[in-house]
Amino acid sequence: MFQYAAGVGLAQHRAGRVVLDLSAFAAYATWPYQLDKLRVPQDISAGEPLSRPTGRSLPARIARRLTGGVKASSLYLEPHFHFDEQFFALSGDEIRLEGYFQSPLYFAGCEAVLRQRFQPAEPFGVAAQTWAERIDAVDRSVSLHVRRGDYVTNPSAAAVHAVLGEGYYGRAIALIHRLLGGDVDFFLFSDEPDFVQEAFAGLPRAHVVRTDPARSWEDMFLMARCSHHIIANSSYSWWGAWLNPSPEKVVIAPGQWFTRHKLAMTNVMDLYPEDWIILK
């Protein structure tokens, strides 16, 4: 979603269009392609894929092709994690983007069109619709996301992203109570709901959300339906919070987006919208 959003940002700046190169998914087994589950125009490249090697986790970096209609092609490699101020100075008839582009600065000014496109392409399933009604029924709802999965089981992912512990969530919950009062309902989202059920057993007014695993995109939109958010170090709940359009929302995010080793070498400050609260 970050990659597509950056493509939209550059396309709007250049009066071009976004074409999706999905070739990396042939070697990327962690997640399937799912932008087709959203209202994103499926303008898929039928041409040759990027010719760069697929090493250095390239399967996790979907190439985006921006075209104004013709021939000359240039490849832009994201130089670092934080926003590149030269991004909107890119030139050429065709620009191919390779990187993560995890900053809202890459799509500033495109918020309205992205909020339209980043919506489910079909109605909620039965389980998700039931949870949507439960969320809508409470006065103050807070989504709380716990990301585990490959952060625990995949050594490559675990070397980059640390699993957030009780310290972060305890401080975030305490801060939510200070800001909003005690009468809030927490809706807990995780790829390991049984773990969350046990870990947060003592949290009053907590509800572990369980939906259809085959419709994994639905949880993001259930998060967005909540009034406020405690996110994990995960782009999934980042977008869940961002997609909530309310100017009154409180979003608490972890300063430890990566492991301490990687964080020491990475500037993550452009990752967070200005009005989000970052817990160090």
Side-chain angles (χ1 to χ4, degrees), residues 5-18 66-67 87-88 110:
V8 170
L10 187 56
Q12 179 169 291
H13 180 76
R14 295 173 48 80
R17 66 189 182 100
V18 181
L66 289 163
T67 98
F87 181 74
F88 291 108
C110 301

PDB file of all heavy atoms in Angstrom, residues 5-18 66-67 87-88 110:
ATOM      1  N   ALA A   5       0.825   3.946  -2.934  1.00  0.00           N
ATOM      2  CA  ALA A   5       0.544   5.333  -2.578  1.00  0.00           C
ATOM      3  C   ALA A   5       1.639   6.264  -3.095  1.00  0.00           C
ATOM      4  O   ALA A   5       1.354   7.361  -3.592  1.00  0.00           O
ATOM      5  CB  ALA A   5       0.393   5.473  -1.065  1.00  0.00           C
ATOM      6  N   ALA A   6       2.903   5.830  -2.991  1.00  0.00           N
ATOM      7  CA  ALA A   6       3.997   6.646  -3.532  1.00  0.00           C
ATOM      8  C   ALA A   6       3.866   6.781  -5.044  1.00  0.00           C
ATOM      9  O   ALA A   6       4.111   7.857  -5.616  1.00  0.00           O
ATOM     10  CB  ALA A   6       5.346   6.030  -3.166  1.00  0.00           C
ATOM     11  N   GLY A   7       3.471   5.694  -5.703  1.00  0.00           N
ATOM     12  CA  GLY A   7       3.253   5.765  -7.139  1.00  0.00           C
ATOM     13  C   GLY A   7       2.163   6.757  -7.501  1.00  0.00           C
ATOM     14  O   GLY A   7       2.296   7.536  -8.446  1.00  0.00           O
ATOM     15  N   VAL A   8       1.082   6.753  -6.739  1.00  0.00           N
ATOM     16  CA  VAL A   8      -0.001   7.716  -6.971  1.00  0.00           C
ATOM     17  C   VAL A   8       0.504   9.136  -6.745  1.00  0.00           C
ATOM     18  O   VAL A   8       0.185  10.055  -7.509  1.00  0.00           O
ATOM     19  CB  VAL A   8      -1.195   7.407  -6.055  1.00  0.00           C
ATOM     20  CG1 VAL A   8      -2.231   8.533  -6.086  1.00  0.00           C
ATOM     21  CG2 VAL A   8      -1.854   6.096  -6.473  1.00  0.00           C
ATOM     22  N   GLY A   9       1.315   9.337  -5.686  1.00  0.00           N
ATOM     23  CA  GLY A   9       1.855  10.665  -5.428  1.00  0.00           C
ATOM     24  C   GLY A   9       2.692  11.184  -6.575  1.00  0.00           C
ATOM     25  O   GLY A   9       2.546  12.338  -6.996  1.00  0.00           O
ATOM     26  N   LEU A  10       3.572  10.334  -7.104  1.00  0.00           N
ATOM     27  CA  LEU A  10       4.415  10.761  -8.220  1.00  0.00           C
ATOM     28  C   LEU A  10       3.610  10.913  -9.501  1.00  0.00           C
ATOM     29  O   LEU A  10       3.837  11.845 -10.289  1.00  0.00           O
ATOM     30  CB  LEU A  10       5.552   9.757  -8.419  1.00  0.00           C
ATOM     31  CG  LEU A  10       6.625  10.149  -9.435  1.00  0.00           C
ATOM     32  CD1 LEU A  10       7.242  11.500  -9.109  1.00  0.00           C
ATOM     33  CD2 LEU A  10       7.707   9.063  -9.508  1.00  0.00           C
ATOM     34  N   ALA A  11       2.650  10.021  -9.723  1.00  0.00           N
ATOM     35  CA  ALA A  11       1.814  10.119 -10.917  1.00  0.00           C
ATOM     36  C   ALA A  11       1.012  11.413 -10.914  1.00  0.00           C
ATOM     37  O   ALA A  11       0.873  12.076 -11.943  1.00  0.00           O
ATOM     38  CB  ALA A  11       0.871   8.914 -11.000  1.00  0.00           C
ATOM     39  N   GLN A  12       0.470  11.789  -9.746  1.00  0.00           N
ATOM     40  CA  GLN A  12      -0.281  13.038  -9.673  1.00  0.00           C
ATOM     41  C   GLN A  12       0.631  14.233  -9.939  1.00  0.00           C
ATOM     42  O   GLN A  12       0.243  15.174 -10.643  1.00  0.00           O
ATOM     43  CB  GLN A  12      -0.941  13.171  -8.303  1.00  0.00           C
ATOM     44  CG  GLN A  12      -1.728  14.465  -8.133  1.00  0.00           C
ATOM     45  CD  GLN A  12      -2.571  14.455  -6.882  1.00  0.00           C
ATOM     46  OE1 GLN A  12      -3.561  13.717  -6.779  1.00  0.00           O
ATOM     47  NE2 GLN A  12      -2.208  15.275  -5.907  1.00  0.00           N
ATOM     48  N   HIS A  13       1.840  14.180  -9.409  1.00  0.00           N
ATOM     49  CA  HIS A  13       2.786  15.278  -9.601  1.00  0.00           C
ATOM     50  C   HIS A  13       3.169  15.426 -11.070  1.00  0.00           C
ATOM     51  O   HIS A  13       3.361  16.548 -11.559  1.00  0.00           O
ATOM     52  CB  HIS A  13       4.035  15.017  -8.761  1.00  0.00           C
ATOM     53  CG  HIS A  13       5.090  16.073  -8.865  1.00  0.00           C
ATOM     54  ND1 HIS A  13       4.983  17.294  -8.230  1.00  0.00           N
ATOM     55  CD2 HIS A  13       6.263  16.098  -9.561  1.00  0.00           C
ATOM     56  CE1 HIS A  13       6.053  18.020  -8.519  1.00  0.00           C
ATOM     57  NE2 HIS A  13       6.843  17.322  -9.321  1.00  0.00           N
ATOM     58  N   ARG A  14       3.253  14.316 -11.786  1.00  0.00           N
ATOM     59  CA  ARG A  14       3.708  14.318 -13.185  1.00  0.00           C
ATOM     60  C   ARG A  14       2.568  14.196 -14.190  1.00  0.00           C
ATOM     61  O   ARG A  14       2.812  14.111 -15.396  1.00  0.00           O
ATOM     62  CB  ARG A  14       4.675  13.159 -13.404  1.00  0.00           C
ATOM     63  CG  ARG A  14       5.975  13.261 -12.628  1.00  0.00           C
ATOM     64  CD  ARG A  14       6.797  11.984 -12.771  1.00  0.00           C
ATOM     65  NE  ARG A  14       6.898  11.556 -14.159  1.00  0.00           N
ATOM     66  CZ  ARG A  14       7.738  12.079 -15.047  1.00  0.00           C
ATOM     67  NH1 ARG A  14       8.551  13.039 -14.677  1.00  0.00           N
ATOM     68  NH2 ARG A  14       7.777  11.618 -16.284  1.00  0.00           N
ATOM     69  N   ALA A  15       1.323  14.168 -13.710  1.00  0.00           N
ATOM     70  CA  ALA A  15       0.174  13.944 -14.592  1.00  0.00           C
ATOM     71  C   ALA A  15       0.363  12.657 -15.389  1.00  0.00           C
ATOM     72  O   ALA A  15       0.105  12.594 -16.594  1.00  0.00           O
ATOM     73  CB  ALA A  15      -0.037  15.136 -15.530  1.00  0.00           C
ATOM     74  N   GLY A  16       0.827  11.614 -14.708  1.00  0.00           N
ATOM     75  CA  GLY A  16       1.028  10.312 -15.332  1.00  0.00           C
ATOM     76  C   GLY A  16       0.047   9.299 -14.799  1.00  0.00           C
ATOM     77  O   GLY A  16      -0.999   9.651 -14.245  1.00  0.00           O
ATOM     78  N   ARG A  17       0.364   8.031 -14.939  1.00  0.00           N
ATOM     79  CA  ARG A  17      -0.495   6.969 -14.444  1.00  0.00           C
ATOM     80  C   ARG A  17       0.362   5.904 -13.785  1.00  0.00           C
ATOM     81  O   ARG A  17       1.562   5.797 -14.045  1.00  0.00           O
ATOM     82  CB  ARG A  17      -1.351   6.365 -15.558  1.00  0.00           C
ATOM     83  CG  ARG A  17      -0.585   5.613 -16.628  1.00  0.00           C
ATOM     84  CD  ARG A  17      -1.487   5.238 -17.795  1.00  0.00           C
ATOM     85  NE  ARG A  17      -0.782   4.478 -18.828  1.00  0.00           N
ATOM     86  CZ  ARG A  17      -0.841   3.162 -18.960  1.00  0.00           C
ATOM     87  NH1 ARG A  17      -1.576   2.449 -18.110  1.00  0.00           N
ATOM     88  NH2 ARG A  17      -0.172   2.538 -19.912  1.00  0.00           N
ATOM     89  N   VAL A  18      -0.271   5.099 -12.957  1.00  0.00           N
ATOM     90  CA  VAL A  18       0.412   4.035 -12.228  1.00  0.00           C
ATOM     91  C   VAL A  18       0.107   2.697 -12.889  1.00  0.00           C
ATOM     92  O   VAL A  18      -1.056   2.367 -13.114  1.00  0.00           O
ATOM     93  CB  VAL A  18      -0.044   3.982 -10.749  1.00  0.00           C
ATOM     94  CG1 VAL A  18       0.705   2.888 -10.005  1.00  0.00           C
ATOM     95  CG2 VAL A  18       0.173   5.327 -10.078  1.00  0.00           C
ATOM     96  N   LEU A  66       5.551   3.903 -13.461  1.00  0.00           N
ATOM     97  CA  LEU A  66       4.784   5.111 -13.758  1.00  0.00           C
ATOM     98  C   LEU A  66       5.037   5.480 -15.200  1.00  0.00           C
ATOM     99  O   LEU A  66       6.182   5.599 -15.592  1.00  0.00           O
ATOM    100  CB  LEU A  66       5.246   6.268 -12.867  1.00  0.00           C
ATOM    101  CG  LEU A  66       4.852   6.130 -11.401  1.00  0.00           C
ATOM    102  CD1 LEU A  66       5.677   7.057 -10.563  1.00  0.00           C
ATOM    103  CD2 LEU A  66       3.393   6.482 -11.289  1.00  0.00           C
ATOM    104  N   THR A  67       4.001   5.666 -15.972  1.00  0.00           N
ATOM    105  CA  THR A  67       4.243   6.036 -17.353  1.00  0.00           C
ATOM    106  C   THR A  67       3.417   7.235 -17.727  1.00  0.00           C
ATOM    107  O   THR A  67       2.301   7.416 -17.296  1.00  0.00           O
ATOM    108  CB  THR A  67       3.906   4.883 -18.324  1.00  0.00           C
ATOM    109  OG1 THR A  67       2.610   5.091 -18.850  1.00  0.00           O
ATOM    110  CG2 THR A  67       3.992   3.541 -17.692  1.00  0.00           C
ATOM    111  N   PHE A  87      12.565  12.937  -4.673  1.00  0.00           N
ATOM    112  CA  PHE A  87      11.614  12.009  -5.289  1.00  0.00           C
ATOM    113  C   PHE A  87      10.763  12.689  -6.351  1.00  0.00           C
ATOM    114  O   PHE A  87      10.588  12.163  -7.455  1.00  0.00           O
ATOM    115  CB  PHE A  87      10.729  11.414  -4.191  1.00  0.00           C
ATOM    116  CG  PHE A  87       9.707  10.423  -4.680  1.00  0.00           C
ATOM    117  CD1 PHE A  87      10.073   9.152  -5.080  1.00  0.00           C
ATOM    118  CD2 PHE A  87       8.354  10.758  -4.716  1.00  0.00           C
ATOM    119  CE1 PHE A  87       9.133   8.234  -5.510  1.00  0.00           C
ATOM    120  CE2 PHE A  87       7.401   9.850  -5.140  1.00  0.00           C
ATOM    121  CZ  PHE A  87       7.792   8.591  -5.547  1.00  0.00           C
ATOM    122  N   PHE A  88      10.260  13.863  -6.044  1.00  0.00           N
ATOM    123  CA  PHE A  88       9.352  14.522  -6.984  1.00  0.00           C
ATOM    124  C   PHE A  88      10.090  15.268  -8.091  1.00  0.00           C
ATOM    125  O   PHE A  88       9.459  15.886  -8.951  1.00  0.00           O
ATOM    126  CB  PHE A  88       8.404  15.458  -6.233  1.00  0.00           C
ATOM    127  CG  PHE A  88       7.408  14.718  -5.377  1.00  0.00           C
ATOM    128  CD1 PHE A  88       7.517  14.724  -3.999  1.00  0.00           C
ATOM    129  CD2 PHE A  88       6.382  13.984  -5.956  1.00  0.00           C
ATOM    130  CE1 PHE A  88       6.609  14.026  -3.211  1.00  0.00           C
ATOM    131  CE2 PHE A  88       5.477  13.285  -5.189  1.00  0.00           C
ATOM    132  CZ  PHE A  88       5.586  13.299  -3.807  1.00  0.00           C
ATOM    133  N   CYS A 110      -2.591  13.524  -1.843  1.00  0.00           N
ATOM    134  CA  CYS A 110      -3.359  12.467  -2.512  1.00  0.00           C
ATOM    135  C   CYS A 110      -4.260  11.717  -1.533  1.00  0.00           C
ATOM    136  O   CYS A 110      -4.771  10.641  -1.858  1.00  0.00           O
ATOM    137  CB  CYS A 110      -2.413  11.461  -3.173  1.00  0.00           C
ATOM    138  SG  CYS A 110      -1.303  12.171  -4.388  1.00  0.00           S
TER     139      CYS A 110
END
